Amino acid sequence: MFNQCRLRLKMTERTHKKRVLVGKPGLDGHDRGAKFIAHALRDAGFEVVYTGIRRSPEEIAAAAIQEDVHAIGLSSLSGAHMRLFPAVVEALSKAGAPEIPVLGGGVIPDEDIVALKQAGIVEIFTPGTPVDTIIKAFHEACEKKSAG
Amino acid sequence: MTIDRLLEGLKARDPRAIGRAISLVENGDDCAEAILSSLDEDLIAKATVLGITGPPGAGKSTLTNAIISQLRLSRKRIGIIAIDPTSPISGGAILGDRIRMMQHATDPDVVMRSMATRGRLGGLCATAGAALRIMASCGCSTIIIETVGVGQSEMDIIRLADITLLVLAPGLGDDIQAMKAGLLEVADLLVVNKADCKGADILAMDLEAVIRKGSPIPTKVSMTVATESKGIKELLDRIDKVDSEHRESGEREKRRRGAHDQEVLDWCLEILRPKLLAEISKRKLPLLGDPRLEAKKILAEQ
Amino acid sequence: MAKHPKFAQWEENELAKSLNRFPERKEKFSNHGGAEIPRLATPEKIDTEYLEKLGFPGQYPFTRGVQPTMYRGRLWTMRQYAGFSTAAESNKRYRYLLDQGTTGLSVAFDLPTQIGYDSDDPMSVGEVGKVGVAIDSLADMETLFDQIPLDKVSTSMTINSPAAVLLAMYVAVGEKQGVAAENIKGTIQNDVLKEYVARGTYIFPPKPSLRLITNIFQWCSQKTPAFNTISISGYHIREAGATAVQEVAFTLANGCTYVQTALDAGLELDVFARRLAFFFNASSDLLEEVAKFRAARRLWARLMKERFGAKHPASLMLRFHTQTAGNTLTAQQIDNNIVRVTIQALAAVLGGTQSLHTNSKDEAHSLPTEESVRTALRTQQILAHESGVADTIDPLAGSYFIESLTDRIERDALSLIDKIEESGGVVKCIEEGFIQRQIENAAYQYQQEIERGDRIIVGVNKFQIKEDKKPPLLRVDPEVEKTQVAKLAAVKSNRNNEQVSRMLAGLETAARGSENLMPHIYDCVKEYATLGEICNVLRKVFGEYKDRG
């Protein structure tokens, strides 16, 4: 009756928008960076579901799934990224949406970046990364998700 | 996800399927029709759609959050659609309403979705209406649409609701007289939030004096302090009362018919728009030609 | 040239009183050639404008400083913010700093402690001991100050929402050491209003939080009169992206709110006002920062006098601690940060700060190593002993640029304060998001300037190099969380749990009423009730604040 249709999301101007969730897991309350990225993504045409501070990994994953986002952006300045970022990846997996890419930023030493990528985080942005680089990475992550 | 799996997921109330279905309909994907025709009409007919609108700063999201908490006490499955404006310059949007409702994020019986207006003059009702129906079809007995009541498209959305709450707060600088007449007309219930603040009682009195004329149901003013969950139960009781009265009097039917027609019109425009745009650019119309005549010509040839 | 009578008067009164309390650091301050460095340079002719706008240090309007001898009498307190992982480790770092010449301690707590969660709370996972020390009970506090005599040091605690609890613990430690409460010196940050707009470690909603703050004011004015009960902070507001004018405006507006709240609670202005302290940011624009500090002093003095009718000079003084701007530190070419911190510290000193924390060069990567902290401390010591800026008071006064900038900042800040007043006050503006939006817009603009290249950050968007060498970084041992949780369990089993329950119940009853909560909190703390247990009682009664985004 209904054919199986491969779901391709075309990026036409009015309809298909890239949706991203930006939030801060854990107790760190410094949201200047997260807010800046949320605004920058908005200015680059993304729809940004901004969930604020003090979110648990489970809350972030649940919201990301409900909002059917193409990517998630996390921020952490308190050093708890090694525990919290992979926890979000895990929560996504548990909730049945392991394909949503997770990108992260904040005060993160270089050695941790390797471990985080191994844990499934797609990209990590350290202080001083130009915003264009970050936006480009989100574009790519979203496109990969749509194609996959 | 294949379409069959998606439809199965919808029946199973899988959050992933629901989220994906709403996106597909919003994006006008080819599968939209398949999704929309698979929905449970019965559940849709039974659900109650609550519209919450009002000026920025009145505390709508906080109130919505308090309402959700209260409704969850009676184990109702709830859907929420929070609408925020798209930036006309960038085409992007910050959807920040759900921040105040994040405590419900992991509750499987609270289905939330943030939507951007996407700069549409038409089409917003269509997609919001479709999202509403998807939520109702997956068992949400109450669906809340929350939007700022400052634009025409937001006004139109509210007509999708069975019952509309207009939320105000003291000290926001609105004069009742200055407020767009449209909002007051559309509201079934008036809520003065931040009722613990100075000026709340005066605002309530002013509102009671401007009650919807000709309405068979007297619109009283409810007082709430959403941050402290005060007045919520009373508000919900009032909503229930209005709901039963609407069902009895046939008002609910009437509104649903109106909303349905509105949605159909919206879908017509939504579907026609790209075709018409393509047609217009193809013709390379002369600058000095009369736009209305050109339009009639194009339509006649459709 | 005859001295202006007002100058002579100042010398005979404020200055003489100060010299009686303690003399200047040297008999004579002179330069390398032997020429004497004057205490206070003034224009040859002192006119009414000078007296109104500048005056003399230690005298209204305090533009030139709050102490008559400033750094000639006592150098600013070199107070380095520190603390991480366990109380035992932090104790070691504090004793190291005291040995190296720090004159005051500054405690950094981890996020769970700042937000009132015990180390074994599910919310604390991954965060224990990361950004500061974990304090779950009085036992941890005792370890933290082991072998540190509380009558000999002054301790600043960066704690806000649960400040009442940590303060009670500190006083209890003093009591155990045999130090009388009235000799306890220090500061608690205790500035909840800025948490809602810039820092995020709030727990309860604004109204009950203000109640707790006035409870603290009251209790301390009787029990610990030498303790500063609040450090009204602009630092974090600036870090969040605010401009210098916004930093002054929002900080002083918050200050006025605290003053009004205390007055409404029946406290006496000239009794509690002298214990209000401030905390500002020292950013990289040297000249603007100096002007900012001077403007803040003058504006606060005027507000206290004209709006609140404060009489006692101590009530009009804006005493402040400064920290160099964390948000200017770069992860690239970190040695450059030493230069930045030097400029910022210089601004704070030329601006007349009472105490100063200098950041370490590696803090854009993680918490600083011992070596980096030492360099940061040496920066202050070099400024104090080698640069000469501490040998005369308010040296930049009279500069056309500095004075006009001071005037402008004062004017613009007052205008913003008035706007907040007209919009219903600080709490209203926080609830409406007005203050947050102002800060966000300023932050966004600043960042855009950097992205466009209109604002140069050396090493980041210009003068970059390819860096291979990785700096040695401090790592918090992940075992810390386990150790802390175990210690907490031990405390819970060794204490008198019945007593604890009783005390907590008493606290809950008091919280529902309107009495001062400090005595109840003190009782709970002495029985080794945990921070989380106490805060959960208060959460139950007061509710939790929800961010509006």
Side-chain angles (χ1 to χ4, degrees):
Chain A
M1 193 158 188
F2 292 102
N3 303 326
Q4 287 191 352
C5 47
R6 278 263 81 204
L7 309 175
R8 288 169 298 108
L9 291 177
K10 304 176 291 274
M11 298 307 300
T12 61
E13 197 194 278
R14 281 183 70 248
T15 53
H16 305 68
K17 297 280 182 176
K18 286 174 175 151
R19 289 168 65 91
V20 168
L21 183 146
V22 171
K24 290 181 65 68
L27 301 178
D28 171 32
H30 297 96
D31 55 3
R32 174 181 181 174
K35 280 184 173 168
F36 176 73
I37 294 297
H39 280 100
L41 286 167
R42 191 259 326 257
D43 288 347
F46 289 79
E47 285 179 355
V48 184
V49 178
Y50 181 67
T51 54
I53 66 172
R54 251 188 253 181
R55 301 274 87 102
S56 73
E58 292 72 27
E59 282 171 351
I60 291 177
I65 289 170
Q66 282 183 345
E67 301 287 353
D68 194 36
V69 298
H70 299 95
I72 296 175
L74 304 174
S75 151
S76 169
L77 285 77
S78 68
H81 49 271
M82 286 306 293
R83 181 75 196 36
L84 294 169
F85 289 8
V88 173
V89 173
E90 220 181 283
L92 281 170
S93 198
K94 253 207 213 128
E99 74 280 0
I100 301 182
V102 176
L103 293 76
V107 177
I108 296 168
D110 288 341
E111 304 95 84
D112 289 354
I113 296 182
V114 175
L116 287 172
K117 285 195 171 163
Q118 276 171 358
I121 286 87
V122 165
E123 264 319 321
I124 294 285
F125 308 111
T126 48
T129 309
V131 75
D132 287 341
T133 310
I134 299 178
I135 307 260
K136 190 155 166 276
F138 271 97
H139 270 300
E140 277 169 17
C142 291
E143 263 147 37
K144 256 202 212 126
K145 164 124 187 349
S146 314
Chain B
M1 207 189 290
T2 63
I3 184 65
D4 290 336
R5 286 266 295 282
L6 182 66
L7 295 177
E8 262 169 45
L10 281 179
K11 283 222 168 56
R13 302 181 177 185
D14 173 23
R16 264 193 334 145
I18 299 173
R20 177 49 58 89
I22 295 177
S23 296
L24 291 171
V25 173
E26 200 180 18
N27 295 332
D29 195 279
D30 302 333
C31 308
E33 270 155 40
I35 296 169
L36 292 172
S37 26
S38 76
L39 301 180
D40 187 329
E41 294 296 328
D42 211 36
L43 286 174
I44 294 172
K46 288 210 187 88
T48 303
V49 181
L50 196 59
I52 298 184
T53 188
K60 291 183 298 300
S61 298
T62 314
L63 182 65
T64 305
N65 186 48
I67 289 176
I68 298 170
S69 301
Q70 187 66 36
L71 286 174
R72 287 298 295 133
L73 291 179
S74 24
R75 302 193 169 289
K76 292 201 169 182
R77 187 167 155 83
I78 306 164
I80 300 110
I81 299 174
I83 302 178
D84 276 313
T86 294
S87 157
I89 302 163
S90 69
I94 302 261
L95 308 174
D97 287 329
R98 72 177 295 154
I99 247 189
R100 289 174 216 72
M101 306 184 245
M102 280 302 281
Q103 71 188 85
H104 302 287
T106 46
D107 183 341
D109 283 323
V110 176
V111 180
M112 211 180 295
R113 181 70 175 218
S114 310
M115 284 181 125
T117 56
R118 292 195 180 173
R120 294 176 274 223
L121 288 175
L124 185 51
C125 282
T127 42
L132 264 180
R133 264 203 289 286
I134 292 172
M135 288 180 178
S137 173
C138 327
C140 293
S141 55
T142 303
I143 298 147
I144 300 174
I145 304 184
E146 190 214 310
T147 175
V148 174
V150 287
Q152 190 54 48
S153 46
E154 286 92 342
M155 281 292 302
D156 289 338
I157 300 232
I158 281 305
R159 293 183 208 278
L160 290 176
D162 296 318
I163 297 169
T164 298
L165 267 57
L166 173 59
V167 185
L168 300 165
L172 288 181
D174 318 294
D175 207 15
I176 306 290
Q177 279 78 10
M179 188 172 303
K180 290 197 182 129
L183 275 179
L184 282 177
E185 276 172 12
V186 135
D188 293 298
L189 284 165
L190 301 173
V191 182
V192 169
N193 191 30
K194 306 193 186 179
D196 55 343
C197 289
K198 212 168 61 165
D201 289 325
I202 298 178
L203 178 60
M205 282 193 319
D206 284 345
L207 286 172
E208 267 162 12
V210 189
I211 275 166
R212 231 156 74 118
K213 295 198 179 72
S215 159
I217 305 145
T219 316
K220 280 211 284 254
V221 178
S222 296
M223 311 290 283
T224 59
V225 183
T227 47
E228 293 168 28
S229 303
K230 290 209 179 106
I232 308 299
K233 203 170 165 303
E234 293 78 358
L235 177 61
L236 286 173
D237 287 340
R238 265 210 190 130
I239 292 172
D240 281 338
K241 197 157 169 288
V242 172
D243 190 34
S244 356
E245 281 163 357
H246 278 195
R247 283 175 201 260
E248 254 185 61
S249 68
E251 178 69 19
R252 182 184 155 97
E253 252 322 290
K254 190 169 133 213
R255 288 190 188 189
R256 286 245 165 159
R257 161 99 351 235
H260 181 87
D261 293 347
Q262 173 84 15
E263 265 188 82
V264 171
L265 174 61
D266 230 46
W267 274 118
C268 290
L269 296 172
E270 191 59 8
I271 294 166
L272 280 176
R273 181 182 292 273
K275 297 192 186 139
L276 293 174
L277 274 174
E279 191 58 40
I280 292 169
S281 51
K282 197 172 80 181
R283 290 179 183 221
K284 298 202 197 318
L285 301 163
L287 262 178
L288 294 174
D290 177 40
R292 190 160 189 264
L293 284 175
E294 304 287 357
K296 289 183 109 173
K297 251 193 260 174
I298 293 175
L299 285 174
E301 293 168 24
Q302 288 310 302
Chain C
M1 176 95 191
K3 218 174 261 181
H4 190 282
K6 287 286 181 184
F7 196 155
Q9 206 174 64
W10 170 75
E11 285 184 323
E12 284 154 31
N13 291 312
E14 284 88 352
L15 178 63
K17 278 202 200 109
S18 175
L19 291 172
N20 267 336
R21 277 204 315 275
F22 52 89
E24 290 185 333
R25 290 181 286 119
K26 298 188 193 151
E27 277 283 326
K28 181 170 177 236
F29 288 84
S30 41
N31 68 5
H32 178 73
E36 175 151 19
I37 297 173
R39 173 180 296 117
L40 183 75
T42 63
E44 270 199 37
K45 287 190 91 186
I46 289 179
D47 58 9
T48 351
E49 202 188 321
Y50 174 89
L51 292 170
E52 260 174 34
K53 288 174 101 176
L54 297 179
F56 301 97
Q59 195 187 76
Y60 184 87
F62 303 102
T63 316
R64 303 198 69 177
V66 294
Q67 288 112 359
T69 54
M70 284 307 291
Y71 308 133
R72 286 168 66 107
R74 280 206 197 116
L75 291 171
W76 64 90
T77 306
M78 299 184 192
R79 195 189 292 279
Q80 296 294 85
Y81 187 60
F84 48 92
S85 65
T86 61
E89 280 299 308
S90 302
N91 177 263
K92 262 195 358 227
R93 176 61 73 91
Y94 294 155
R95 286 189 285 142
Y96 172 77
L97 286 170
L98 287 168
D99 284 340
Q100 289 298 316
T102 299
T103 41
L105 296 178
S106 176
V107 184
F109 300 94
D110 69 2
L111 281 174
T113 305
Q114 292 187 53
I115 305 181
Y117 293 121
D118 284 339
S119 303
D120 60 359
D121 194 299
M123 293 295 286
S124 305
V125 171
E127 309 261 19
V128 176
K130 285 278 165 56
V131 304
V133 66
I135 300 285
D136 292 323
S137 73
L138 181 58
D140 291 317
M141 208 64 160
E142 286 164 344
T143 311
L144 189 64
F145 290 101
D146 180 40
Q147 293 172 60
I148 296 176
L150 294 200
D151 54 350
K152 297 279 181 342
V153 301
S154 139
T155 302
S156 169
M157 293 190 274
T158 301
I159 191 78
N160 294 277
S161 304
V165 183
L166 278 300
L167 170 65
M169 288 183 183
Y170 189 71
V171 175
V173 169
E175 195 184 285
K176 290 208 173 180
Q177 284 182 358
V179 176
E182 64 229 25
N183 294 331
I184 302 256
K185 281 194 292 291
T187 310
I188 33 170
Q189 197 166 87
N190 194 25
D191 170 11
V192 84
L193 291 176
K194 63 106 169 45
E195 295 297 326
Y196 300 114
V197 308
R199 197 165 174 274
T201 66
Y202 44 75
I203 308 177
F204 322 110
K207 290 203 194 93
S209 301
L210 287 172
R211 178 238 179 124
L212 269 174
I213 290 174
T214 38
N215 284 171
I216 292 174
F217 285 178
Q218 199 162 40
W219 192 76
C220 286
S221 68
Q222 278 149 7
K223 192 142 170 144
T224 60
F227 204 85
N228 294 314
T229 47
I230 193 167
S231 185
I232 304 165
S233 306
Y235 176 82
H236 320 83
I237 295 175
R238 190 68 184 272
E239 288 291 288
T243 62
V245 166
Q246 289 169 337
E247 183 189 347
V248 175
F250 296 147
T251 308
L252 266 51
N254 287 349
C256 290
T257 308
Y258 292 125
V259 170
Q260 191 58 55
T261 311
L263 290 174
D264 292 342
L267 301 185
E268 216 184 293
L269 183 59
D270 282 311
V271 170
F272 73 81
R274 70 184 59 202
R275 280 293 147 222
L276 303 177
F278 289 79
F279 173 26
F280 287 112
N281 193 304
S283 195
S284 299
D285 187 334
L286 175 66
L287 303 172
E288 182 179 60
E289 293 300 281
V290 175
K292 177 191 84 182
F293 295 124
R294 302 168 87 248
R297 266 199 298 273
R298 190 163 70 204
L299 184 51
W300 180 250
R302 287 197 173 148
L303 287 169
M304 286 301 280
K305 187 163 193 222
E306 291 163 21
R307 289 209 187 170
F308 294 105
K311 302 263 177 358
H312 199 287
S315 307
L316 305 167
M317 288 181 202
L318 181 120
R319 296 171 303 121
F320 64 99
H321 169 73
T322 307
Q323 176 166 340
T324 60
N327 67 8
T328 59
L329 302 176
T330 59
Q332 298 81 353
Q333 298 177 51
I334 63 176
D335 284 345
N336 293 344
N337 291 326
I338 298 175
V339 180
R340 294 188 173 99
V341 169
T342 307
I343 294 172
Q344 294 159 0
L346 179 60
V349 169
L350 290 172
T353 190
Q354 276 57 61
S355 72
L356 178 61
H357 164 100
T358 33
N359 288 331
S360 303
K361 67 184 189 183
D362 47 1
E363 292 197 66
H365 286 275
S366 84
L367 293 179
T369 59
E370 209 171 76
E371 203 193 306
S372 312
V373 168
R374 193 173 58 227
T375 305
L377 182 57
R378 296 286 178 258
T379 305
Q380 294 197 48
Q381 289 160 339
I382 293 170
L383 278 176
H385 300 288
E386 296 182 24
S387 77
V389 297
D391 295 347
T392 185
I393 302 174
D394 191 31
L396 297 192
S399 145
Y400 300 119
F401 185 70
I402 293 288
E403 295 302 352
S404 63
L405 199 49
T406 304
D407 290 348
R408 185 173 66 67
I409 294 177
E410 183 190 4
R411 201 177 48 234
D412 292 346
L414 179 58
S415 167
L416 190 45
I417 291 174
D418 285 339
K419 182 133 197 260
I420 294 174
E421 221 19 60
E422 282 156 29
S423 310
V426 167
V427 173
K428 187 101 193 291
C429 287
I430 290 173
E431 287 168 354
E432 303 290 303
F434 170 73
I435 296 176
Q436 295 90 317
R437 275 194 301 276
Q438 287 261 315
I439 298 172
E440 266 166 54
N441 290 340
Y444 194 61
Q445 208 182 328
Y446 186 86
Q447 198 62 33
Q448 291 293 61
E449 286 167 13
I450 294 175
E451 298 294 339
R452 284 196 304 263
D454 290 339
R455 180 179 288 277
I456 310 265
I457 308 290
V458 174
V460 174
N461 61 0
K462 204 166 174 169
F463 310 116
Q464 300 106 316
I465 60 168
K466 189 173 178 317
E467 287 178 276
D468 293 319
K469 212 167 56 140
K470 301 280 177 248
L473 293 177
L474 185 84
R475 304 300 237 138
V476 177
D477 181 1
E479 289 302 296
V480 161
E481 192 167 315
K482 286 204 195 113
T483 320
Q484 185 65 22
V485 170
K487 187 170 179 197
L488 177 58
V491 168
K492 282 185 167 169
S493 60
N494 289 337
R495 65 188 184 180
N496 182 336
N497 281 295
E498 231 184 75
Q499 265 294 81
V500 170
S501 306
R502 224 192 321 239
M503 294 296 145
L504 289 174
L507 174 63
E508 186 174 338
T509 313
R512 290 191 193 283
S514 58
E515 52 178 296
N516 192 318
L517 295 178
M518 278 307 294
H520 294 272
I521 293 175
Y522 193 62
D523 288 340
C524 288
V525 148
K526 289 220 292 206
E527 296 295 333
Y528 294 91
T530 68
L531 174 68
E533 286 166 340
I534 296 173
C535 289
N536 286 339
V537 165
L538 297 177
R539 276 190 178 97
K540 201 164 137 201
V541 178
F542 298 147
E544 282 184 288
Y545 178 78
K546 295 267 161 57
D547 177 26
R548 68 182 305 288

